[in-house]
Amino acid sequence: MFCNRLTPHNPLLSRSKTCELDLTDSLQVAEEKSATGIEINFTATLSEKVAAYVEQGLATNSKRAYASDLAHFGAWGGTIPATDAIIASYLAEFAERLSVATLCRRLATISKAHAAQGLVSPTSSELVKATIKGIKRSLGTAQAEAKPLLRDDLFLILERLGEDTKSVRDQALLLVGFAGGLRRSELVGLDVEDIEHVRQGMIVRIRRSKTDQEGVGRKIGIPFGRTRWCPVTALDQWLSRAVIDAGPIFLGVNRHGHISKERLSGEAVAMVLKERLLAADISPDGFSAHSLRAGLVTSAAVAGASTWKIRQQTGHASEAMLGLSGIPCAGGHNG
């Protein structure tokens, strides 16, 4: 594991391309057709200031999801406005190819697209409700959980890394993601300005996360590692190699070692992990970008950390969200 007793912000480690469909771009246009071919008709004209606040109210990941959902619906042949029969047919078509969660999100997006035009959404019709209910009963709603990347497997991956630029970046990405218990969006969203070096390691500021859409932010501690796999050192080595002194930390690196100016996407984290798992002769099946976060949670629980301390590090809203059923760990606030 990693060394402890960093700061009060670090209770866990203490001793005990889809293109974005920018909805606000259309707010001052009477009628506009998106790249998906779906018409979006905004009847109200908002001021630039109001539009700016609407833009801030939509999380980046949400906007990407809306764009992806509408593109898929449009490519299938759907239009806005749509009838309940068309939407029911769309759900039936993809019932066995998409998860129930994805289908429900598609419904929410289609509903928003109708609301944007001042239309009554057909997604609330009895036909659509009955269709999605039948899909849930037929196929179930259980979602596949990402396999946790445990510490020993992480170290095995790191052993296989080379000294090239991409390996240096991947080492920092994996170690910081694991040690911080970060969501993929939190990991790739880090800027140099979010890192504060302290005597026992570093303090990382998470500006915004899935459960903090208001941008209140939180701080977590990542200490120097007890082994040679130190997340603090790995991050410093990457920043030095890439000559990054401001802005996004984790950038793209091509096969020739050339560093991009673009921030990595959340999807790229999963690609990096699976590539490195294969290189370490570990099957990537069941692993995703969430495996780093799940790995920290599981490893900490097995080591005896209390669920309260784990949640302080990861930012989970509740103990139920930790997914630690069957794993022995200390309970209460003082474990």
Side-chain angles (χ1 to χ4, degrees):
M1 199 64 180
F2 304 103
C3 69
N4 49 27
R5 298 186 66 185
L6 179 58
T7 71
H9 295 300
N10 185 33
L12 171 59
L13 300 172
S14 63
R15 181 172 292 276
S16 29
K17 272 177 189 186
T18 299
C19 64
E20 291 189 14
L21 176 63
D22 190 342
L23 299 182
T24 58
D25 281 350
S26 301
L27 289 174
Q28 298 182 31
V29 181
E31 185 172 300
E32 172 175 308
K33 182 174 288 187
S34 75
T36 66
I38 296 178
E39 292 185 357
I40 301 177
N41 185 12
F42 292 93
T43 57
T45 299
L46 303 183
S47 69
E48 182 177 347
K49 187 173 183 179
V50 173
Y53 282 125
V54 172
E55 169 74 12
Q56 290 299 317
L58 292 172
T60 299
N61 287 343
S62 295
K63 289 185 288 184
R64 288 175 177 168
Y66 294 157
S68 175
D69 293 342
L70 287 178
H72 190 270
F73 184 57
W76 173 77
T79 61
I80 303 296
T83 65
D84 59 353
I86 289 295
I87 295 175
S89 295
Y90 172 72
L91 293 174
E93 177 74 19
F94 293 99
E96 296 184 4
R97 286 185 272 175
L98 299 175
S99 70
V100 172
T102 297
L103 290 175
C104 289
R105 194 189 72 201
R106 295 269 162 86
L107 284 178
T109 298
I110 293 170
S111 178
K112 288 178 183 294
H114 281 80
Q117 296 190 36
L119 302 170
V120 175
S121 174
T123 61
S124 58
S125 76
E126 290 303 317
L127 174 61
V128 174
K129 288 181 179 178
T131 302
I132 194 66
K133 185 175 182 180
I135 292 173
K136 289 179 178 179
R137 286 184 174 179
S138 176
L139 303 177
T141 58
Q143 301 299 303
E145 296 183 358
K147 290 174 62 175
L149 181 69
L150 301 181
R151 190 189 71 161
D152 289 347
D153 286 337
L154 172 61
F155 286 0
L156 182 59
I157 289 174
L158 298 175
E159 290 280 359
R160 300 291 181 91
L161 292 179
E163 299 295 330
D164 58 285
T165 299
K166 189 173 185 297
S167 291
V168 173
R169 184 207 63 187
D170 290 355
Q171 178 175 299
L173 183 76
L174 296 174
L175 279 169
V176 172
F178 181 92
L182 302 178
R183 298 178 176 89
R184 65 180 188 176
S185 59
E186 297 169 348
L187 182 57
V188 299
L190 291 177
D191 290 340
V192 173
E193 293 78 9
D194 299 326
I195 306 299
E196 175 189 355
H197 284 81
V198 293
R199 183 172 60 85
Q200 290 179 299
M202 63 186 182
I203 301 297
V204 178
R205 179 185 178 187
I206 309 300
R207 294 180 180 273
R208 189 185 294 273
S209 65
K210 181 179 179 180
T211 55
D212 176 28
Q213 293 300 319
E214 300 302 317
V216 175
R218 62 189 179 90
K219 292 183 177 181
I220 61 173
I222 296 181
F224 292 113
R226 289 180 173 179
T227 71
R228 65 191 181 98
W229 305 121
C230 172
V232 181
T233 302
L235 181 58
D236 287 344
Q237 289 174 341
W238 161 242
L239 293 176
S240 177
R241 173 73 68 91
V243 194
I244 300 173
D245 54 16
I249 289 176
F250 294 112
L251 306 175
V253 179
N254 67 18
R255 59 192 181 91
H256 302 294
H258 296 151
I259 301 172
S260 167
K261 294 182 180 180
E262 298 298 322
R263 187 190 301 272
L264 277 184
S265 67
E267 291 78 8
V269 178
M271 294 174 64
V272 168
L273 177 57
K274 291 188 177 186
E275 176 187 343
R276 297 306 183 180
L277 283 165
L278 282 171
D281 297 323
I282 300 174
S283 172
D285 293 346
F287 288 96
S288 72
H290 187 72
S291 295
L292 294 171
R293 179 172 167 83
L296 182 280
V297 169
T298 303
S299 296
V302 170
S306 71
T307 54
W308 176 76
K309 287 183 178 179
I310 296 173
R311 286 173 54 202
Q312 287 295 302
Q313 181 77 356
T314 63
H316 279 97
S318 67
E319 290 191 9
M321 296 300 292
L322 288 176
L324 290 174
S325 178
I327 299 177
C329 58
H333 289 199
N334 299 315

